[in-house]
Amino acid sequence: MSMPHRLIGSGDHKVLVLHDWFGTSSCWGPVLDYLDGDTFSYALLDYRGYGDRKTVGGAYTLAEIADDALALADELGWASFSLIGHSMGGKAAQQVLAQAPGRVRKLVGLAPVPAGVYPLDRDGEALFYGAAQDRDKRRAIVDLVTGRRAPGVWLDLMVDRSLEWSTREAFGGYVKDWVTADLTERISGNPVPVKVIVGEHDLALTAEAMRATWLSHYPNAELEEIGNSGHYPMYETPLALATSVETFLRA
């Protein structure tokens, strides 16, 4: 059975794109309009319980996302590919790398969750684990990671989309896995070229956090902090993001 996905471009450089906890394959904002489809082919996948696969059940784990991503690559005939992963998708992309290291050309982590356990204090656990059932908690998270500077209309739009396009079961299942899973031993020292991109106003996944995790795990990693952006540069600074990603992939 064909796996639902979105394909942008027809270039020779193949790229699998993994979305964040709140998003879907259709929730990448204006940046999709600025991608070079002559050079690259981007395949955007929905996770089980999300988007076009909202009715598909599963275990809701990073390993399952990786299995599905690799199955899509096989379906498309992509023996090798680069990866882009946003936030939770950044950790899922590392799971793909752990499972199929010989197939990954380059890896872009966009405001990405690190490979190790994501530490949460008691308030953090209440906020993140409670967000599956609580709209206000979802809104508080999006507000936090955008530096408490985004307009309320946009915050509401992001939350409403997450409620509409994902099941509460999937949303709650994935967070438990991406917070607790530890991939560090499986990916540390991998020589794949890596670019980590963060927004200067992201109050959670900061440049400092990336230096302590991603840049210490990957010997060929580089870091860019995009100005005037928080956790969602695909909405906040789409031109800068498209330029940053594709300059790295072309190099």
Side-chain angles (χ1 to χ4, degrees), residues 178-200:
W178 69 252
V179 166
T180 60
D182 190 351
L183 308 174
T184 308
E185 290 188 4
R186 299 180 65 186
I187 57 85
S188 288
N190 190 299
V192 66
V194 173
K195 180 158 192 179
V196 181
I197 302 169
V198 296
E200 68 166 326

Side-chain angles (χ1 to χ4, degrees), residues 104-121:
V104 179
R105 295 177 59 178
K106 293 187 175 184
L107 172 59
V108 177
L110 174 57
V113 175
V117 174
Y118 190 78
L120 293 173
D121 59 19

Side-chain angles (χ1 to χ4, degrees), residues 53-102:
R53 303 177 75 213
K54 184 178 177 181
T55 61
V56 179
Y60 310 124
T61 63
L62 299 175
E64 186 175 72
I65 293 172
D67 286 342
D68 287 350
L70 290 167
L72 176 59
D74 291 342
E75 180 182 314
L76 294 170
W78 293 3
S80 64
F81 47 82
S82 292
L83 286 163
I84 299 174
H86 176 223
S87 195
M88 176 181 81
K91 193 163 185 175
Q94 293 179 92
Q95 179 80 45
V96 175
L97 178 66
Q99 293 182 204

Side-chain angles (χ1 to χ4, degrees), residues 131 133-140 155-156 159-160 163:
Q133 304 298 329
D134 190 325
R135 185 189 188 282
D136 290 342
K137 286 184 170 63
R138 295 196 194 202
R139 194 180 192 278
L155 295 175
D156 289 334
V159 172
D160 290 342
L163 288 165

